[in-house]
Amino acid sequence: MSAQQAGEDSPNPAPPRQLKERYDGVAKVTGKAKYAAEFSEPFPRKDLAYAFMVQSTIPSGSLVSIDRSAAERSPGVLAVLTPFNAPKLPVGKPQPPAPRTLSVLQNTDVNYNGQPVAVVVAASLPEAIHAARQLRIKYNQTPPKLDFKGRLGEARWPKQPGKEQPSDTRGNIGISRGKATVHLDCTYTTPIQNHNPMEPHATIAWWEGEKLNVYNSTQYISGDKQSLARIFNIPLDDVHTQCPYTGGGFGSKGSMWSHVPLCAMAAKIVNRPVKLVLERDQMFGPVGQRPTTVNKIQLAATSDGKLMAMQHDVVMHASVMEDFTEHAASPTKSLYASEANLVSEKLVDMNLGVTTFMRAPGEAPGTAVLEVAMDELAEKLKMDPVQLRLASYAEKDPSHDRPWTSKHLTEAYKQAADRFGWSKRSAQPGTVTEGNDFIGYGMATATYPANRSAAQAVVRILPNGRAFAGTGSQDLGTGTYTIVAQTAADALGMDPTLVDARIGDSTLPKAPVSGGSQSAASICPAIREAAMQAKLKLFELAINDPQSPHHGLKTTDLDTRDGKIFQKSRPSHTESIIALMGRNGGKPIEANGSAEPGEDKESYTSHSWGAVFAEVAVDRDTHMVKVRRIVATYDIGSLINNKTGLNQLMGGIVWGVSFALHEETLIDPVYGRTVNESLSEYHVPTNADIGVVDVTVLNIPDTKFNPLGARGIGEIGITGAAAAINNAIYNATGKRIRDYPITPDKIMEAKSSIMEEKSSLA
Ligand code: MOS
């Protein structure tokens, strides 16, 4: 951490004692941490049956028949479920909390290639897969909608109320455009992308009478519980969901998809515990994806770089099954203080699986395009890209005309620029070469909203000197366990290694979805509140105990440190918590806590910010891009834990490299199946693709946002990074690629006098 500045927003509280290592680090590297598919209890292991999800092989139409006879005779088969024999669910249309149109064998419609159309359950997975291949499925195919570019003219407004028009967020775009002297009008595209957490979606379900239990890899145990209760029309308390560890989610596990109720349905039919794990290729379609977007961006500025008008019109694809809007125009609404602003978001129906949240939904593609348009505008104005951004710096939220809870983006620009060495950059493309490489430098702004929801927690002080902290949250690999333990320890004045953290069980107090970068900001205040309440109960015990040195004092006279209760006015007067609790029956002291956004949340906007600088090398012959260095500084409020926090930001940046150069889901234009549905063909960066990633945070607490002063950091890292790389590629080559990902063929095809003249192959 290069900066530990005191913020003017609040007195900077003493930073909490951090857990230096991940709470769950040892469990993970020794294999003790169990993921959803790895459980073989509490049921007898031999009872576990295996389900395989069968998918449609046409993109549009309906099922005419499914001949199950051969599959049912196949060895080991316990059940074959299709829309023709599956039990009718009591609720016709499942309505999970995040509305999702599920495919749970209730009708014969086929809406995309890869849609679940049957489930085979067998005593082993190979037997289930073998039997699945023997199903004879007859379809009635109808013409599919698969040509996105050819159907852009059919783009329609989202079906939500209020969304059927452009959102004219401020001013008069025509009048303000008239005041400008420099205009930019460019179109940028981003591809379909699929989340690929290392752990695929996985579920084990078993019934105890009418009670449903599931282990499920998820970002939202209490959401799954609610969804399953609705789908099977059973009392909420009859559903128990558990997920002690999630091997990555990135938004794909924020909603519940078809395989979870299908697994529960199968378990009911065979009356055994059933495991259903998606194959890697099944991750492409049935469990959500980021839509492709086309972005027409029009910027208008005065000659000194003041933005007069910003217009951003997005057209994206949506599944014929369900609307989802990727708010790619969000950054255009609030990142700069333009005089006038107009954005629109429209959908084109496609015979593809449902689109959904993927890391930094909205802001990831939104900054990837807007921040390139800003670079193009800077060039037209012959202005430094940082200066252009400062010329329209939004001191308050221009979209809602209200203050930010905290914003220190100018410091982030400065700190990152200094560390990167931005002042030495030449604005003229193609001026720096090293051997066979053109070297380029680019920058962009990162932004993501700070979200927070109501959360509850329980904390126990134990008679052995340890403590317990629990909340019904989940750890996607982000560090939730670590900060739960650390937050409780900080409030209790304990060493953080003495706290046992428990999450990932729906019997724990309710916590929100681990999405929208909100878990830390939501649950830590609840943990802290529960710990404070437990501490008060502990003080009362001492005060009421005649044998305690603190007998008869007030709770406000006392505090705790390192396993002892001490008097604030006489810190040497202490009593050990173990001794006090031992004299009082040795029972744990337990307290609940809850926290939610304050009543004044409508009078502020909370965002995180960052400045991202990239250095790339572009090979003059192969046109391969190497991202040599990324230097970024973020304004994310207080950083709760250095190791897990900086890791989140770095992981986000790696996603930015992936967005810029690698990731793209390719759809077969005739059959509608994903062509590259494997990790060998769906390209993501490997370690060798990642150069130096150098991250700092300003660490200025945002206590108007929450008592910890900490905003979420799971998503902001991806924002801005792709644009910084894109802008660096332009600075290296003079080639502006407006279509992601920036693959060597696109650089090769783009015309630039610089590169061709200097190519050794020319
Ligand atoms: Mo995140 S894409 O909101 O899980």
Side-chain angles (χ1 to χ4, degrees), residues 630-677:
I630 300 238
V631 175
T633 296
Y634 296 97
D635 170 26
I636 46 92
S638 310
L639 183 66
I640 300 178
N641 184 277
N642 290 358
K643 181 173 254 188
T644 63
L646 295 179
N647 179 271
Q648 287 271 351
L649 295 167
M650 291 171 79
I653 288 171
V654 171
W655 274 57
V657 175
S658 198
F659 195 118
L661 304 180
H662 303 286
E663 271 187 75
E664 175 172 31
T665 300
L666 298 163
I667 304 294
D668 182 286
V670 175
Y671 297 103
R673 193 68 173 239
T674 304
V675 175
N676 53 343
E677 52 186 15

Side-chain angles (χ1 to χ4, degrees), residues 168-174 176 339-341:
D168 188 357
T169 51
R170 59 184 179 268
N172 180 310
I173 200 90
S176 295
E339 190 176 274
N341 178 295

Side-chain angles (χ1 to χ4, degrees), residues 517-564:
S517 296
Q518 69 171 336
S519 278
S522 304
I523 64 173
C524 289
I527 294 279
R528 193 168 95 135
E529 181 58 25
M532 295 304 223
Q533 293 302 324
K535 205 156 94 164
L536 278 181
K537 289 186 179 177
L538 180 74
F539 294 163
E540 276 158 15
L541 197 64
I543 290 163
N544 294 325
D545 181 347
Q547 292 182 57
S548 168
H550 309 312
H551 180 63
L553 295 175
K554 295 199 292 288
T555 55
T556 48
D557 297 333
L558 301 175
D559 207 346
T560 50
R561 190 180 56 229
D562 295 333
K564 296 190 187 75

Side-chain angles (χ1 to χ4, degrees), residues 195 219 249-252 254 357-361 448 476 514-517 715:
H195 333 67
Q219 293 173 233
F250 313 114
S252 77
F357 325 101
M358 182 164 165
R359 203 170 193 173
Y448 194 73
L476 321 183
S514 290
S517 296
E715 295 171 276

Side-chain angles (χ1 to χ4, degrees), residues 399-476:
S399 165
H400 297 92
D401 192 28
R402 61 192 189 192
W404 308 107
T405 47
S406 172
K407 180 176 183 180
H408 298 275
L409 177 57
T410 39
E411 293 99 304
Y413 286 133
K414 177 157 190 350
Q415 191 181 113
D418 289 350
R419 285 166 41 240
F420 184 77
W422 180 250
S423 61
K424 295 197 277 290
R425 166 195 186 254
S426 162
Q428 179 64 37
T431 46
V432 184
T433 56
E434 255 183 54
N436 214 39
D437 289 331
F438 286 96
I439 310 299
Y441 308 92
M443 64 80 56
T445 312
T447 185
Y448 194 73
N451 297 307
R452 190 187 164 199
S453 306
Q456 295 162 14
V458 59
V459 165
R460 288 184 209 118
I461 301 172
L462 304 174
N464 61 2
R466 296 184 66 87
F468 167 92
T471 178
S473 185
Q474 41 281 312
D475 193 329
L476 321 183

Side-chain angles (χ1 to χ4, degrees), residues 193-200 247 250 278-284 358 655 658 662-665 674-686 689:
Q193 296 175 341
N194 278 78
H195 333 67
N196 270 291
M198 289 303 289
E199 180 203 25
F250 313 114
L278 296 196
E279 307 276 309
R280 182 58 64 183
D281 61 1
Q282 296 182 321
M283 301 287 286
F284 292 80
M358 182 164 165
W655 274 57
S658 198
H662 303 286
E663 271 187 75
E664 175 172 31
T665 300
T674 304
V675 175
N676 53 343
E677 52 186 15
S678 71
L679 284 184
S680 61
E681 293 181 82
Y682 182 89
H683 289 181
V684 292
T686 65
D689 295 307

